[in-house]
Amino acid sequence: MSLLGAGSKLPLLPLLPLLLLLFGQSLSAPRSFSLDYKGDCFRKDGEEFRYISGSIHYSRIPRVYWKDRLLKMYMAGLNAIQTYIPWNYHEESQGYYNFIGDRDVKYFLELAQDIGLLVILRPGPYICAEWDMGGLPAWLLKEKNIVLRSSDPDYIAAVDTWMGKLLPMIKPYLYQNGGPIITVQVENEYGSYFACDFNYLRHLTKLFRSHLGEEVVLFTTDGAGLNYLRCGSIQNLYATVDFGPGANVTAAFNAQRHAEPRGPLVNSEFYTGWLDHWGSPHSSVSSTVVAKSLNEILVTGANVNLYMFIGGTNFGYWNGANALYSPQPTSYDYDAPLTEAGDLTEKYFVIRDVIKMYHKIPEGPVPPTTPKYAYGAVEMKKLQTISDALEELSFSGPVKSMYPQTFTELNQMVGYVLYRTILPFTCSTPTPLSSQLDGVHDRAYVSVEGVAVGILERNKALTLNVTGKAGSQVDILVENMGRINYGKDINDFKGLVSNMTLGANTLTGWTMYSLSIDKAVSQGILWERERTSTDPPHPAPLSPPVFYWGTFSIPDGIPDLPQDTYIKLPKWRKGQVWINGFNLGRYWPARGPQVTLFVPANILSTVALNNVTVLELEKAPCGSGPCTVEFTNTPILNATVPSGYKQRWGLFAKEDLL
Ligand SMILES: *[C@@H]1O[C@H](CO)[C@@H](O)[C@H](O)[C@H]1NC(C)=O
Ligand SMILES: *[C@@H]1O[C@H](CO)[C@@H](O)[C@H](O)[C@H]1NC(C)=O
Ligand SMILES: *[C@@H]1O[C@H](CO)[C@@H](O)[C@H](O)[C@H]1NC(C)=O
Ligand SMILES: *[C@@H]1O[C@H](CO)[C@@H](O)[C@H](O)[C@H]1NC(C)=O
Ligand SMILES: *[C@@H]1O[C@H](CO)[C@@H](O)[C@H](O)[C@H]1NC(C)=O
């Protein structure tokens, strides 16, 4: 990339760095950022430097709010931010790159620099991050036996192509080239992965160096234990560790010292909170505990990154999952110092007070929490079921095969696929329909002749009974609830990944519909056909998956509307919700702990009616109660969860996730 070309796309860069970009290092003192092994510190422009950073994932925050969140981070006293680049967010289909709008990572870097924040960049290729497949694109699985995160030639070829696109774009933003990026992480917690492939790490090191140059500080991050550092660290990549408030700070940094006897101490992920899973109680960590431990870290002179400083939202289908299969909810609030919606919390100010003891805090007011508005209840109308709307939803038309194919085979990465077959014989008594090999990935909504008969769920419900005449139509809508993002099971194929049996027989003769629901919703196809129906007066305990639609307008005469809000679906069970075609994510109040979904104001309209589309997979409250969804000004992320889903996830212990 020519420097002039890059410079012309950097309107927000302050003048001096731009000049440096254009005229190399001939002007004034050269910008430099390096490791000092003698002084056990970083050096910025030759001076001793320590960062206090916070994690923010641009992929989890609408672009219009990037500036507000970054400014709040700056005002907390941070001098740097850390962000991941999720590969699958930028290359959803192989060879098609997207760096515009919410994916405009260059603009994000420019904003950070404008505000006065340095950047610690974590471009993967694997990022974990509770993000679908740890950021790896699902199309990698087209090579069925691919060994991800290893020297497997198919994997390496894809990584080389991606990094060949990404890293040259990043290069002008390196600190020494006039940009904000001080350090770049290679891979992520590689020592927690089974492969332990040093050739892979060596390859990445060479690849990063070839695109970014010899000067940039490259580093790795691993759990603060020798068992992690063993396979995670390698010569020529500076080894750092991660640990939360529960850890013994001395012991944790001793582990880093084992890998790096000299150089700066760095905790690359100091946990301010923790992640959630559907069906487990909401994680929260007291501000006092975080503050005390942060102080212990800072007093040693170490560098630290607070993970997360703002968690944000897994919009759409972007959440990941842990093994044994347990998906993460839509909110990635993380109990961080800034909430999912960017609100200031007690934890924010407590952390700021700790930082104040070590670094000068910028003067001036902290940007306020954005106001939220309760737009109230919205009446919902029933539209078609998925089975009835297949023509509108399956743009590519059905695929037929003897045995079921996976999402990847059908060239669908996320969302929902409908698998259709028939009962091969009459089941006059209840006959088990089973996925004996736990092959429903991840949840299946089964109906026979349009009547819902039950739900299958990975690891949890592998069989249900059906009755019906030979030839009856069996529809199995399979939901991909998010790919595993951590551990050895990240090759997470979706759909029906093994055969279904009816009694002792393997079901055959499948017709499979890849569903482009997002496209249909954003084009308004579903409701414009006006094929609405009503719910029966005596509702069955379960309905086939069905769409609902409603509209609301932003009230007149109230200043500063539209404002952010939260959508709540009381007594609805599980599904997906869109507003004006924007996929807000999954709701599952029946499982919890998340009850409300964050609705950023930028997707709302003051000039047109706002459209709410809901795909309810199990059963809407309509027919027996108010058929409404509700917009409120208060989030609920901590509802009590049904018993039977006991908390399996400890705080701060990676071992719990293995
Ligand atoms: C923390 O670890 C250090 C070094 O291993 C050890 O000496 C110390 O006793 C530990 N402190 C606590 C409270 O366990
Ligand atoms: C299926 O029906 C059989 C016979 O009625 C019963 O024993 C079994 O528990 C049922 N299985 C399920 C999953 O409901
Ligand atoms: C389904 O069963 C057939 C016949 O036994 C077998 O060839 C095929 O591989 C199976 N498919 C899956 C996905 O397990
Ligand atoms: C809602 O849908 C209607 C019908 O498709 C459309 O005319 C309108 O512009 C949509 N509203 C917004 C805010 O997109
Ligand atoms: C959820 O959090 C709120 C606010 O901190 C608290 O008032 C409420 O009691 C909590 N609810 C549950 C069920 O823990």
Side-chain angles (χ1 to χ4, degrees), residues 523-524 527-528 549 580 605 608-611:
Q523 294 178 356
W527 59 83
E528 276 165 2
W549 177 59
N580 298 329
S605 170
L609 278 179
N610 292 285
N611 301 300

PDB file of all heavy atoms in Angstrom, residues 523-524 527-528 549 580 605 608-611, ligand 4:
ATOM      1  N   GLN A 523     -35.700  -6.936   3.944  1.00  0.00           N
ATOM      2  CA  GLN A 523     -36.437  -6.507   2.753  1.00  0.00           C
ATOM      3  C   GLN A 523     -37.939  -6.387   3.016  1.00  0.00           C
ATOM      4  O   GLN A 523     -38.713  -6.065   2.119  1.00  0.00           O
ATOM      5  CB  GLN A 523     -36.183  -7.494   1.600  1.00  0.00           C
ATOM      6  CG  GLN A 523     -34.737  -7.478   1.139  1.00  0.00           C
ATOM      7  CD  GLN A 523     -34.453  -8.478   0.032  1.00  0.00           C
ATOM      8  OE1 GLN A 523     -35.323  -9.266  -0.359  1.00  0.00           O
ATOM      9  NE2 GLN A 523     -33.230  -8.466  -0.471  1.00  0.00           N
ATOM     10  N   GLY A 524     -38.350  -6.670   4.255  1.00  0.00           N
ATOM     11  CA  GLY A 524     -39.769  -6.541   4.600  1.00  0.00           C
ATOM     12  C   GLY A 524     -40.657  -7.561   3.919  1.00  0.00           C
ATOM     13  O   GLY A 524     -41.869  -7.414   3.879  1.00  0.00           O
ATOM     14  N   TRP A 527     -43.735  -9.397   6.136  1.00  0.00           N
ATOM     15  CA  TRP A 527     -45.005  -8.781   6.507  1.00  0.00           C
ATOM     16  C   TRP A 527     -45.726  -8.135   5.333  1.00  0.00           C
ATOM     17  O   TRP A 527     -46.907  -7.919   5.361  1.00  0.00           O
ATOM     18  CB  TRP A 527     -44.823  -7.803   7.660  1.00  0.00           C
ATOM     19  CG  TRP A 527     -43.866  -6.679   7.410  1.00  0.00           C
ATOM     20  CD1 TRP A 527     -44.136  -5.517   6.764  1.00  0.00           C
ATOM     21  CD2 TRP A 527     -42.516  -6.591   7.830  1.00  0.00           C
ATOM     22  NE1 TRP A 527     -43.036  -4.718   6.733  1.00  0.00           N
ATOM     23  CE2 TRP A 527     -42.019  -5.350   7.389  1.00  0.00           C
ATOM     24  CE3 TRP A 527     -41.662  -7.438   8.536  1.00  0.00           C
ATOM     25  CZ2 TRP A 527     -40.716  -4.931   7.626  1.00  0.00           C
ATOM     26  CZ3 TRP A 527     -40.372  -7.021   8.765  1.00  0.00           C
ATOM     27  CH2 TRP A 527     -39.902  -5.784   8.320  1.00  0.00           C
ATOM     28  N   GLU A 528     -44.986  -7.864   4.248  1.00  0.00           N
ATOM     29  CA  GLU A 528     -45.644  -7.204   3.123  1.00  0.00           C
ATOM     30  C   GLU A 528     -46.616  -8.133   2.390  1.00  0.00           C
ATOM     31  O   GLU A 528     -47.521  -7.677   1.711  1.00  0.00           O
ATOM     32  CB  GLU A 528     -44.595  -6.616   2.165  1.00  0.00           C
ATOM     33  CG  GLU A 528     -44.149  -5.252   2.658  1.00  0.00           C
ATOM     34  CD  GLU A 528     -42.878  -4.756   2.004  1.00  0.00           C
ATOM     35  OE1 GLU A 528     -42.351  -5.461   1.129  1.00  0.00           O
ATOM     36  OE2 GLU A 528     -42.422  -3.665   2.382  1.00  0.00           O
ATOM     37  N   TRP A 549     -44.885  -9.658  14.054  1.00  0.00           N
ATOM     38  CA  TRP A 549     -44.454  -8.351  13.574  1.00  0.00           C
ATOM     39  C   TRP A 549     -45.276  -7.249  14.239  1.00  0.00           C
ATOM     40  O   TRP A 549     -46.481  -7.409  14.455  1.00  0.00           O
ATOM     41  CB  TRP A 549     -44.623  -8.292  12.051  1.00  0.00           C
ATOM     42  CG  TRP A 549     -44.292  -6.976  11.443  1.00  0.00           C
ATOM     43  CD1 TRP A 549     -43.099  -6.325  11.506  1.00  0.00           C
ATOM     44  CD2 TRP A 549     -45.156  -6.144  10.681  1.00  0.00           C
ATOM     45  NE1 TRP A 549     -43.166  -5.151  10.818  1.00  0.00           N
ATOM     46  CE2 TRP A 549     -44.409  -5.009  10.294  1.00  0.00           C
ATOM     47  CE3 TRP A 549     -46.495  -6.242  10.268  1.00  0.00           C
ATOM     48  CZ2 TRP A 549     -44.956  -3.977   9.529  1.00  0.00           C
ATOM     49  CZ3 TRP A 549     -47.025  -5.222   9.499  1.00  0.00           C
ATOM     50  CH2 TRP A 549     -46.261  -4.101   9.133  1.00  0.00           C
ATOM     51  N   ASN A 580     -36.186  -2.874  12.487  1.00  0.00           N
ATOM     52  CA  ASN A 580     -35.880  -2.250  11.187  1.00  0.00           C
ATOM     53  C   ASN A 580     -34.802  -3.032  10.438  1.00  0.00           C
ATOM     54  O   ASN A 580     -33.908  -2.451   9.823  1.00  0.00           O
ATOM     55  CB  ASN A 580     -35.469  -0.791  11.385  1.00  0.00           C
ATOM     56  CG  ASN A 580     -36.602   0.021  11.995  1.00  0.00           C
ATOM     57  OD1 ASN A 580     -37.781  -0.276  11.754  1.00  0.00           O
ATOM     58  ND2 ASN A 580     -36.262   1.022  12.796  1.00  0.00           N
ATOM     59  N   SER A 605     -36.022   4.960  14.004  1.00  0.00           N
ATOM     60  CA  SER A 605     -36.352   6.030  13.052  1.00  0.00           C
ATOM     61  C   SER A 605     -37.405   6.954  13.652  1.00  0.00           C
ATOM     62  O   SER A 605     -38.355   6.490  14.294  1.00  0.00           O
ATOM     63  CB  SER A 605     -36.871   5.414  11.762  1.00  0.00           C
ATOM     64  OG  SER A 605     -37.391   6.425  10.934  1.00  0.00           O
ATOM     65  N   ALA A 608     -40.156   7.251  10.064  1.00  0.00           N
ATOM     66  CA  ALA A 608     -41.007   6.132   9.622  1.00  0.00           C
ATOM     67  C   ALA A 608     -41.413   5.307  10.833  1.00  0.00           C
ATOM     68  O   ALA A 608     -40.814   5.425  11.905  1.00  0.00           O
ATOM     69  CB  ALA A 608     -40.245   5.266   8.627  1.00  0.00           C
ATOM     70  N   LEU A 609     -42.438   4.483  10.649  1.00  0.00           N
ATOM     71  CA  LEU A 609     -42.796   3.533  11.700  1.00  0.00           C
ATOM     72  C   LEU A 609     -41.646   2.554  11.873  1.00  0.00           C
ATOM     73  O   LEU A 609     -41.042   2.118  10.892  1.00  0.00           O
ATOM     74  CB  LEU A 609     -44.045   2.755  11.292  1.00  0.00           C
ATOM     75  CG  LEU A 609     -45.399   3.420  11.507  1.00  0.00           C
ATOM     76  CD1 LEU A 609     -46.501   2.495  11.020  1.00  0.00           C
ATOM     77  CD2 LEU A 609     -45.599   3.735  13.001  1.00  0.00           C
ATOM     78  N   ASN A 610     -41.323   2.225  13.109  1.00  0.00           N
ATOM     79  CA  ASN A 610     -40.271   1.247  13.383  1.00  0.00           C
ATOM     80  C   ASN A 610     -40.854  -0.159  13.377  1.00  0.00           C
ATOM     81  O   ASN A 610     -41.898  -0.410  13.979  1.00  0.00           O
ATOM     82  CB  ASN A 610     -39.639   1.545  14.746  1.00  0.00           C
ATOM     83  CG  ASN A 610     -38.856   2.835  14.725  1.00  0.00           C
ATOM     84  OD1 ASN A 610     -37.758   2.908  14.186  1.00  0.00           O
ATOM     85  ND2 ASN A 610     -39.449   3.898  15.284  1.00  0.00           N
ATOM     86  N   ASN A 611     -40.179  -1.053  12.691  1.00  0.00           N
ATOM     87  CA  ASN A 611     -40.657  -2.440  12.558  1.00  0.00           C
ATOM     88  C   ASN A 611     -39.948  -3.365  13.538  1.00  0.00           C
ATOM     89  O   ASN A 611     -38.727  -3.405  13.564  1.00  0.00           O
ATOM     90  CB  ASN A 611     -40.364  -2.947  11.143  1.00  0.00           C
ATOM     91  CG  ASN A 611     -41.035  -2.080  10.091  1.00  0.00           C
ATOM     92  OD1 ASN A 611     -42.245  -1.948  10.084  1.00  0.00           O
ATOM     93  ND2 ASN A 611     -40.232  -1.475   9.219  1.00  0.00           N
TER      94      ASN A 611
HETATM   95  C1  LIG B   4     -40.853  -0.596   8.273  1.00  0.00           C
HETATM   96  O1  LIG B   4     -41.378  -1.384   7.212  1.00  0.00           O
HETATM   97  C2  LIG B   4     -42.137  -0.648   6.262  1.00  0.00           C
HETATM   98  C3  LIG B   4     -42.737  -1.650   5.311  1.00  0.00           C
HETATM   99  O2  LIG B   4     -41.743  -2.438   4.726  1.00  0.00           O
HETATM  100  C4  LIG B   4     -41.249   0.363   5.574  1.00  0.00           C
HETATM  101  O3  LIG B   4     -42.004   1.150   4.681  1.00  0.00           O
HETATM  102  C5  LIG B   4     -40.618   1.247   6.639  1.00  0.00           C
HETATM  103  O4  LIG B   4     -39.693   2.134   6.043  1.00  0.00           O
HETATM  104  C6  LIG B   4     -39.891   0.437   7.687  1.00  0.00           C
HETATM  105  N1  LIG B   4     -39.403   1.295   8.737  1.00  0.00           N
HETATM  106  C7  LIG B   4     -38.117   1.534   8.923  1.00  0.00           C
HETATM  107  C8  LIG B   4     -37.773   2.517   9.974  1.00  0.00           C
HETATM  108  O5  LIG B   4     -37.237   0.964   8.286  1.00  0.00           O
END
